[in-house]
Amino acid sequence: MAEETLTITDNRTGRRYDVPIRNGAIAATDLQKITSNGSGSGLLSYDPAFLNTASCRSAITFIDGERSILRYRGYPVEELAERSSFLEVAYLLIHGELPDPTQHGQWVDAITHHTLLHENIKKLIDGFHHDAHPMGILVGTVGALSTFYPDAKDIFNEASRRLQILRLIAKMPTLAAFAARHAVGMPYAYPDNDLSYAGNFLNMMWKATELKYEPNPVLERALDILLILHADHEQNCSTNVMRAVGSAHADPFSATAAAAAALYGPLHGGANEQVLRMLKEIGSVSRVSEYVKRVRSGELRLMGFGHRVYKNYDPRAQIIKKVADDVLAVTGRSPLLDIALELERVALADDYFIKHRLYPNVDFYSGIIYSAIGFPVEMFPVLFAIGRTPGWLAQWQEGLLDPEQKIARPRQVYTGSPERHLPGIRAAKAEAGTSAS
Ligand code: CMC
């Protein structure tokens, strides 16, 4: 069998180095021994945005972007979306296996009984402007939860970690719904333990004066599927933030606030909100070609298109398209869907998109579903955050327990000025005859 090594010749010195290959990767630290004159700090690998750098070893999510494969703990996302529930998937991500019926019952029960918030959180939310973006409120309040649970700092205590994981998965929807109701001046609706995770979220969003809120089962299931599809996506931007903050041994509430802040960006979880704004700006099917021309000319990006990893299609987008049909059959057809379908048709036949391998991603159709269910656009990234929470937590815990991990601290290639001095010091050095560069 061929040796699992890479031989590097440094043409500056003529020296050869054998570097081991493990799991299809070389260790960047092995490059340190490659120096131009036998001393110094050695060769760095330069990879802004981690285009080809693995920052961890992970057993949680597998993606093959070329073949459009997404698996959680080995299970294809299509099967999970069809046959399981979001809380089952959350259990799978955190524990590595699907729960048996007893474990499932205990897990659902525990999460259901951690949905309430400390009443002071309501006062915190009340302090936000009526037009505060709910994602800003979520980032602020989930970070604030860290001050309510100082026991969360005990990150190497397994029981404590489990409790914080339950709290976070349980409380994110409550924070999210309270943020939404604050914007419209509605009284906060408390969780209903009789309902499913998704059904309860719909209840907290829309319960008015009725004694019992009854979620529409099609919309409840659609929301559950969307949460499953967002549950993890290996080392994406916000997960990388979760791991980086976790690597400093911050508590998981603070790390989740940081991850949610990353998700808020329009290139990440904020994209679904931008898709809906874009479809509204296009306004009609007849204006789609003109819009695509503007994208081709480099004036704009087509939101909801393109992905760092998927270069053929995003498997989540395909599932979502089907869910959109189910939801719109209940809520009535949306003119935005017609614009989206036309945009997809025109873009996929266009040279620019073919050449750049740009396909609809998870965010392209999810906004149409959210909007049909009745969520305001500002809530779209918040929904993404609720779905991604189990993934963040699974990745946080895996990173924390990985003996190879240390505090995340990348290197840099310095491109600034060489040493120089303030005028007075320069003159003094010149007088003393020492270097004053
Ligand atoms: N519309 C038009 N051109 C695009 C788009 C787009 N949506 N996405 C990429 N390109 C072009 C880009 O201009 C560049 O062209 P060139 O090589 O000629 O300069 C080329 O494709 C490569 O783009 P990139 O920005 O280097 O690719 P990336 O892997 O760094 O970015 C991305 C991935 C998702 C940030 C990007 O495709 C994008 O901005 N898409 C729109 C925002 C979006 O939908 N984000 C949601 C991503 S999926 C959910 C999630 O992860 O949160």
Side-chain angles (χ1 to χ4, degrees), residues 266-269 271 295 300-308 311 316 352-353 356 358 361-363 384:
L267 295 188
H268 192 9
V295 174
L300 323 148
R301 278 196 172 204
L302 198 54
M303 299 314 285
F305 260 68
H307 199 274
R308 170 64 59 78
K311 296 300 175 195
R316 301 167 300 172
Y352 176 90
F353 290 85
H356 289 84
L358 299 170
N361 60 47
V362 67
D363 288 326
F384 194 153

Side-chain angles (χ1 to χ4, degrees), residues 72-73 75 80 88-99:
Y72 299 155
R73 300 280 188 186
Y75 293 103
L80 293 168
E88 254 183 309
V89 167
Y91 185 100
L92 171 70
L93 289 169
I94 306 275
H95 298 89
E97 296 297 334
L98 284 166

Side-chain angles (χ1 to χ4, degrees), residues 215-224 323 325-330 373:
N216 178 300
V218 175
L219 305 187
E220 182 183 359
R221 178 67 190 141
L223 181 57
D224 205 59
V323 176
D325 289 339
D326 298 343
V327 167
L328 296 177
V330 171
I373 295 179

Side-chain angles (χ1 to χ4, degrees), residues 1 28 50 52 67-68 133 135 138 245 280 363 369 410:
M1 211 173 89
F50 301 125
N52 195 37
R67 293 190 293 149
S68 300
H133 196 291
M135 196 65 178
L138 184 76
V245 176
K280 285 185 175 159
D363 288 326
I369 302 179

